[in-house]
Amino acid sequence: MGRMRRLHYGLHRIGLLLLETIFGVILQGISYRLSYLDYYLSLPLSEMIPMFILPVLLIISIYLVLLAYGFIVTIKRLHDMNTSGWYSIFTIIPFVWLIFLFIPGTSGPNRFGDDPKTIK
């Protein structure tokens, strides 16, 4: 799967954090509109689906893609530390990814590939 240096890992995770924040704000806006549920329940289902259900499903789908990408990036970082990618499951806990940012990778090639510092 490859290896990833600390700088690239940090930039990817900060980008993911920004995207998750943007989509979280959008989802919060949708849920705020749902707080007027009495009005919207009086609407026919054919009007509710495009207004709420489709945007929510789209945002949830985007979140799942971002979650998968976060796992892939973390697995590459763990491979740089010559560690199993299964430890990426700990990134479900908020900001645990910061720990992986400060642990240096192994020097030279390891079982997951060549050192990304030497590859040009």
Side-chain angles (χ1 to χ4, degrees):
M1 199 166 206
R3 296 169 61 174
M4 183 175 280
R5 296 175 63 183
R6 289 185 285 179
L7 176 65
H8 294 135
Y9 176 70
L11 292 175
H12 281 273
R13 291 306 300 209
I14 289 170
L16 281 170
L17 186 65
L18 290 173
L19 287 173
E20 289 169 355
T21 302
I22 290 169
F23 289 114
V25 168
I26 293 170
L27 193 59
Q28 186 69 26
I30 292 171
S31 66
Y32 177 73
R33 289 179 64 189
L34 282 175
S35 65
Y36 298 105
L37 198 55
D38 293 336
Y39 167 73
Y40 292 112
L41 285 179
S42 65
L43 294 175
L45 187 60
S46 62
E47 290 182 29
M48 285 184 65
I49 288 176
M51 287 175 58
F52 297 111
I53 297 173
L54 293 179
V56 168
L57 288 177
L58 179 68
I59 297 291
I60 289 173
S61 300
I62 291 170
Y63 263 125
L64 291 176
V65 169
L66 292 176
L67 182 69
Y69 184 73
F71 278 125
I72 291 169
V73 169
T74 304
I75 288 170
K76 285 185 172 191
R77 178 69 197 124
L78 288 167
H79 285 178
D80 189 44
M81 297 184 294
N82 205 20
T83 308
S84 172
W86 283 102
Y87 289 112
S88 67
I89 197 75
F90 292 118
T91 59
I92 291 175
I93 302 168
F95 298 106
V96 167
W97 61 269
L98 287 171
I99 295 170
F100 301 134
L101 187 62
F102 293 106
I103 300 173
T106 56
S107 297
N110 65 16
R111 62 185 171 139
F112 298 106
D114 292 332
D115 190 351
K117 288 182 181 179
T118 60
I119 298 175
K120 298 204 186 236

